[in-house]
Amino acid sequence: MPPQKKEVMVEQEDYSGLNIYQKLARVQRAVDVIQKDKSGFNYRYVSDAELLPRINAEIDKYGLTLYPEITPGTTTTYEYKYEKTKKDKTEVVSEFVVQADMVFTWVNNDNPSERINVPWAMVGNQADSSQAFGSALTYCNRYFLLKYFHCATVEDDPDTI
């Protein structure tokens, strides 16, 4: 007869008694330093793959939900032309700029009437308007989380000294 597997009970802390501010403060303390892990367009930045798993794990742990919403009627798209010079050759470049007002709403899942609305904005530009819209949303979400939680972004791994 094969040996019986023992079920191991992992005791989880109960955070349901914390208010939304206490929960968000704990998330902030847990994700205070994030590594810049990608580069492009002559700068280094934090990718969603580096940021989201760390923040989402803490948001889930403390029973929070974040709802991003574009404020209806605020989205604008316009063409932006500028001159770009490469090796003594100047060309006119045309891109689309997409911008909108947003509101990020934090909800305490243990007390859904407890909410925090944070006004924000999104802006993106690309040669294609749909890519500009996607860029604006991606950039907006990433930097909302980084700035809301006061995350330091470092070039090198903070755990290596």
Side-chain angles (χ1 to χ4, degrees):
M1 177 180 273
Q4 297 271 337
K5 289 185 179 181
K6 285 188 176 180
E7 219 175 281
V8 177
M9 298 293 287
V10 177
E11 199 170 314
Q12 294 182 345
E13 278 192 65
D14 180 12
Y15 301 111
S16 62
L18 298 177
N19 69 41
I20 194 167
Y21 295 100
Q22 292 167 321
K23 290 179 177 188
L24 287 167
R26 288 188 180 201
V27 173
Q28 179 183 350
R29 283 193 301 273
V31 295
D32 63 344
V33 178
I34 305 284
Q35 164 105 21
K36 290 183 181 180
D37 64 329
K38 293 285 184 186
S39 60
F41 304 102
N42 297 319
Y43 65 94
R44 292 189 49 76
Y45 63 95
V46 175
S47 71
D48 285 351
E50 176 72 15
L51 177 67
L52 295 179
R54 291 184 57 190
I55 288 183
N56 286 341
E58 296 300 316
I59 289 170
D60 290 344
K61 176 180 175 179
Y62 292 106
L64 296 165
T65 299
L66 178 63
Y67 293 106
E69 295 178 79
I70 294 174
T71 305
T74 65
T75 304
T76 60
T77 304
Y78 59 91
E79 190 173 15
Y80 172 67
K81 292 184 181 199
Y82 61 95
E83 289 184 355
K84 186 175 185 178
T85 304
K86 274 189 179 177
K87 297 184 181 181
D88 298 329
K89 183 181 176 189
T90 301
E91 65 177 319
V92 175
V93 176
S94 180
E95 293 187 348
F96 290 93
V97 176
V98 175
Q99 58 189 42
D101 292 335
M102 293 190 69
V103 175
F104 283 84
T105 302
W106 290 107
V107 178
N108 180 351
N109 298 341
D110 296 310
N111 181 4
S113 64
E114 197 174 29
R115 296 168 176 253
I116 298 174
N117 294 321
V118 184
W120 205 255
M122 66 173 219
V123 178
N125 66 297
Q126 294 279 344
D128 178 271
S129 60
S130 60
Q131 289 177 335
F133 188 79
S135 293
L137 287 171
T138 300
Y139 190 85
C140 173
N141 188 63
R142 180 184 307 129
Y143 284 92
F144 172 79
L145 292 170
L146 286 170
K147 298 307 171 190
Y148 191 85
F149 290 118
H150 306 278
C151 297
T153 54
V154 296
E155 297 290 335
D156 299 316
D157 187 343
D159 295 327
T160 59
I161 296 178

